[in-house]
Amino acid sequence: MTVVKRSNVVEDFHGTKVEDPYRWLEDPKSEDTLSWVEEVGKQCDDYFQNVKSKEEDRERLTELWNFPKYFVPKRVKDKLFYQKNDGLQNQAVLYVYDGNREEVVIDPNQLSADGTVAMTNCTASSDGRYVAYATSTHGSDWQEVYVKDVETDETLSDHLQWLKFTPIKWAPDDSGFFYSRYPHPDTVSEEEQGQHHKVYFHRIGTDQNEDELIYERPDAKDYLFFPSLTHEGDYIYLDVNVGTSAQNRFYVKKYDSDEAFHRLLDDADAQYTYVHNEGTRFYFLTNLDAPKNRIIAIDLKQPERRNWEEVISEQEDYMHAVRFFNGQFVIAFLHDAHHQLYVYHLNGSKSHAVDVPMLGSITDLTGKHDEAEMYFGMTSYLSPTAVYRYDLEKDELSTYAESELAIETSQFETVQEFYTSKDGTRVPMFITKRKDLPLDGENPVILFGYGGFNISLTPAFNPAVLRWIEKGGVYAVANLRGGSEYGEKWHEAGMLENKQNVFDDFISAGEYLIEQNYTKKEKLSIMGGSNGGLLVAACMVQRPDLFGAVVCRVPVIDMLRYHKFTIGKFWIPEFGSAENPEQFNYLYEYSPLHNVQQGVKYPPVLIATAASDDRVVPAHAKKFHATLQEKTPETTSVLRLESKAGHGLGKPTSKLIDEWVDFYAFLDRELG
């Protein structure tokens, strides 16, 4: 282990002096950082060099990944547009099917030799003539938009830049589309690059410099604007957010009007999601006075709150998603973290349940507001996404596309169990394993979690997990507070000053798995990424005695400075900010970087990050690794810094396989 320089940076937070000796690692281009990265890269290579299981795992993972992967289609006029991956393609391909023949529209695998340019969004015009699509290079959140003429197979000259997470919404006449973007970097300071979001209209065949500015708020530079159109194209509306806050605003105006946008919902007091409108009567999914959501109606002619109507009241289960097809509401409820599907009439009365084919997750729902045909995808821990066609009038369900795997999954099972957290809260957990696995306390376990940002961990298929349970491992996913499995109260119980609840839930999940003889602490590993990387790092430093190994992926680690990097400030509504004295106290109390103790031997940790990650910058992982090496050199800490990759957006198949090969090599070596 090399001696790493320490700087004398000390910052005063409201009277508390905090050392930051590795702040120099925040500069990825400095000679010191580049030299350090080269050295830790060699250490990583040396660590993985002689792990015997790597090649066997690589071969088997390649076999398990090699199956067709289907995405939910969307009907455009008389054609279906959909994505599909034949098996080991680095990126899924966009196809169009006219009822007789399937044709390739866009093959992202042709955009780069190594598959590191991904198509992250694509939308067909209403006549099916054009497809506007966004690409990301090396996993960056920055995206560029191009336009393809489907009839001529020609990529047009249109090229849009400085976009992140934007929708692409075609005008009713297909002359162009609405989108949102940030300013050109040369026009603002680096600190303001993530501000001044604006909505534009791009006309096909023109230069981006000619795009029409549709909306901006110079007085609210942190607002984010996401444009869309109502089903009939009679209104244009904006979803307005500040960072990742669960509360949003809603602005609307007639599409063909020169009037200003009406700030219909401008209090940011709840979450409002447009579902449908009948003229001026707008239907919203909202958690206003309903933590598990309800549907309300607001008439633009009488928008005062006293005139709002409740259409469907809050139910026992969380109303996760709503679509409007065939003049009816199609609602996906979350029941103990898995989806159930129901159909309701426009007046709010329940029509019937859709008999979904598995205990799992709905991946997408597509259809038209005035047609009976809809498509949806479902997946589980043991089933890749299957696509189903459902006739709302006939109540008929048929399979549209499903995959065959290179393994018989009937030998495995997923069970759902409930455990009690530190404060008595009942928390669900999915456990996937071999049916004949003995519960003798000797099984290697991966305990996975996230717990934040309203994100629910519902059942999802990952071919890499099949390899783990095939080898005799157990894969457990805990549905921690901070997600939305049980609505907004569940989310709020794991955010801001309540964040410790998330760590307590996860620690209790590990203790439960040991108590129930699934494993023992020496064979219990924990894994999480992004906010889940924060989760496993915090639990590792709080309970080093409980875990046998830690896989910490693209983690948020420095909770005092996270908001100073790229889009980190967007997360302040979820985490809080160290610039606030009260919030500093709880952030400092659990921040993994600041809670590594001198001389404590922590469980072996693999910290995986990526050089192009512009969402959670690699500095988090670098500073954590350097701190562990300095304060507890007896702890095994491996930093895996991946090139030409980002936070995970559009990661090619080849890199996914490489990543999991290393994860399993690490776990095989450390868990024994």
Side-chain angles (χ1 to χ4, degrees), residues 546-618:
L546 185 59
F547 310 110
V550 179
V551 180
C552 182
R553 304 165 65 179
V554 290
V556 186
I557 293 291
D558 185 344
M559 299 310 297
L560 304 187
R561 287 178 58 78
Y562 77 86
H563 60 294
K564 296 182 178 292
F565 310 123
T566 60
I567 64 168
K569 60 182 175 294
F570 290 177
W571 315 328
I572 291 175
E574 182 78 13
F575 293 140
S577 168
E579 294 173 25
N580 178 305
E582 292 183 5
Q583 294 177 342
F584 163 76
N585 289 329
Y586 65 72
L587 287 167
Y588 189 44
E589 188 173 349
Y590 74 72
S591 177
L593 183 68
H594 303 96
N595 282 278
V596 175
Q597 301 300 313
Q598 192 84 36
V600 174
K601 185 175 182 181
Y602 295 98
V605 56
L606 172 61
I607 309 168
T609 187
S612 301
D613 192 341
D614 50 14
R615 191 178 309 180
V616 180
V617 295

Side-chain angles (χ1 to χ4, degrees), residues 297-325:
I298 303 175
D299 195 320
L300 300 188
K301 294 180 179 178
Q302 297 177 308
E304 297 81 11
R305 289 193 179 224
R306 63 178 180 273
N307 298 318
W308 294 8
E309 297 178 32
E310 181 174 85
V311 180
I312 302 177
S313 63
E314 182 180 25
Q315 306 291 302
E316 184 176 348
D317 288 327
Y318 174 57
M319 204 178 293
H320 185 232
V322 180
R323 301 288 187 271
F324 192 83
F325 304 141

Side-chain angles (χ1 to χ4, degrees), residues 445-449 476 506-507 509-510 513 523-528 532-533 535-541 543 546-553 603-606 666-667 671:
V445 167
I446 294 175
L447 172 59
F448 186 87
F506 201 56
I507 289 167
L513 291 166
K523 289 185 174 290
L524 173 61
S525 69
I526 52 176
M527 179 184 290
L535 166 72
V536 298
C539 291
M540 164 187 156
V541 299
R543 286 295 305 276
L546 185 59
F547 310 110
V550 179
V551 180
C552 182
R553 304 165 65 179
V605 56
L606 172 61
F666 172 75
L667 294 177
L671 298 182

Side-chain angles (χ1 to χ4, degrees), residues 470-490:
E470 178 185 57
K471 293 169 65 170
V474 176
Y475 183 71
V477 178
N479 297 106
L480 315 171
R481 283 174 283 185
S484 60
E485 285 87 346
Y486 295 104
E488 182 58 18
K489 285 186 178 179
W490 193 255

Side-chain angles (χ1 to χ4, degrees), residues 400-413:
Y400 177 78
E402 61 182 350
S403 304
E404 290 187 12
L405 299 174
I407 189 172
E408 179 53 62
T409 59
S410 62
Q411 62 185 306
F412 308 135
E413 65 179 355

Side-chain angles (χ1 to χ4, degrees), residues 244-532:
T244 57
S245 172
Q247 293 78 38
N248 69 310
R249 294 169 168 83
F250 184 89
Y251 302 166
V252 63
K253 74 169 187 172
K254 288 284 288 185
Y255 175 75
D256 56 0
S257 169
D258 291 331
E259 65 186 17
F261 276 91
H262 175 205
R263 298 184 196 175
L264 179 67
L265 302 165
D266 204 25
D267 293 334
D269 58 347
Q271 188 173 56
Y272 300 90
T273 302
Y274 167 83
V275 177
H276 177 63
N277 70 294
E278 298 277 334
T280 60
R281 184 176 170 86
F282 276 62
Y283 295 85
F284 293 93
L285 176 70
T286 182
N287 58 18
L288 178 71
D289 301 323
K292 293 184 179 179
N293 283 344
R294 59 179 176 144
I295 295 177
I296 63 172
I298 303 175
D299 195 320
L300 300 188
K301 294 180 179 178
Q302 297 177 308
E304 297 81 11
R305 289 193 179 224
R306 63 178 180 273
N307 298 318
W308 294 8
E309 297 178 32
E310 181 174 85
V311 180
I312 302 177
S313 63
E314 182 180 25
Q315 306 291 302
E316 184 176 348
D317 288 327
Y318 174 57
M319 204 178 293
H320 185 232
V322 180
R323 301 288 187 271
F324 192 83
F325 304 141
N326 196 45
Q328 298 166 293
F329 298 110
V330 179
I331 304 178
F333 287 94
L334 271 182
H335 176 75
D336 288 336
H338 62 273
H339 280 120
Q340 297 178 342
L341 202 58
Y342 289 87
V343 179
Y344 282 73
H345 297 297
L346 184 61
N347 65 8
S349 63
K350 184 184 291 187
S351 175
H352 62 279
V354 179
D355 188 15
V356 296
M358 67 181 76
L359 188 150
S361 305
I362 292 174
T363 60
D364 198 5
L365 286 160
T366 67
K368 294 187 176 181
H369 69 286
D370 56 355
E371 294 183 4
E373 176 188 73
M374 79 174 198
Y375 293 88
F376 67 94
M378 284 208 77
T379 184
S380 73
Y381 291 110
L382 297 174
S383 303
T385 298
V387 180
Y388 300 93
R389 181 186 180 276
Y390 181 70
D391 190 309
L392 281 152
E393 290 183 352
K394 299 177 181 178
D395 187 22
E396 290 181 355
L397 181 71
S398 58
T399 302
Y400 177 78
E402 61 182 350
S403 304
E404 290 187 12
L405 299 174
I407 189 172
E408 179 53 62
T409 59
S410 62
Q411 62 185 306
F412 308 135
E413 65 179 355
T414 297
V415 296
Q416 187 177 42
E417 300 187 15
F418 294 83
Y419 66 93
T420 303
S421 188
K422 181 178 180 180
D423 64 356
T425 299
R426 183 173 180 261
V427 182
M429 177 163 53
F430 292 104
I431 301 172
T432 303
K433 61 181 181 63
R434 283 201 334 243
K435 288 180 178 177
D436 62 354
L437 192 74
L439 299 187
D440 57 5
E442 294 295 326
N443 306 304
V445 167
I446 294 175
L447 172 59
F448 186 87
Y450 187 80
F453 293 94
N454 248 333
I455 295 173
S456 300
L457 289 190
T458 60
F461 184 77
N462 181 346
V465 171
L466 294 183
R467 175 57 178 162
W468 179 250
I469 58 179
E470 178 185 57
K471 293 169 65 170
V474 176
Y475 183 71
V477 178
N479 297 106
L480 315 171
R481 283 174 283 185
S484 60
E485 285 87 346
Y486 295 104
E488 182 58 18
K489 285 186 178 179
W490 193 255
H491 171 221
E492 291 174 352
M495 63 183 287
L496 296 172
E497 72 274 10
N498 297 320
K499 189 67 176 177
Q500 184 58 43
N501 286 335
V502 184
F503 311 140
D504 291 341
D505 288 355
F506 201 56
I507 289 167
S508 296
E511 292 173 336
Y512 175 86
L513 291 166
I514 294 171
E515 291 167 1
Q516 298 300 313
N517 256 358
Y518 281 101
T519 191
K520 58 185 179 181
K521 62 181 182 180
E522 291 83 3
K523 289 185 174 290
L524 173 61
S525 69
I526 52 176
M527 179 184 290
S530 193
N531 172 72

Side-chain angles (χ1 to χ4, degrees), residues 132-161:
Y133 63 99
T135 65
S136 164
T137 300
H138 300 166
S140 172
D141 282 343
W142 287 110
Q143 297 169 55
E144 302 177 53
V145 169
Y146 302 88
V147 179
K148 183 76 173 283
D149 187 322
V150 178
E151 290 185 8
T152 65
D153 197 35
E154 176 189 6
T155 299
L156 306 183
S157 60
D158 305 69
H159 179 206
L160 312 185
Q161 295 177 286

Side-chain angles (χ1 to χ4, degrees), residues 188-208:
V188 294
S189 66
E190 185 176 349
E191 290 75 20
E192 293 186 303
Q193 182 59 66
Q195 298 174 325
H196 310 290
H197 208 225
K198 301 177 184 180
V199 177
Y200 288 87
F201 178 75
H202 175 75
R203 190 170 297 277
I204 297 301
T206 64
D207 188 271
Q208 186 177 18

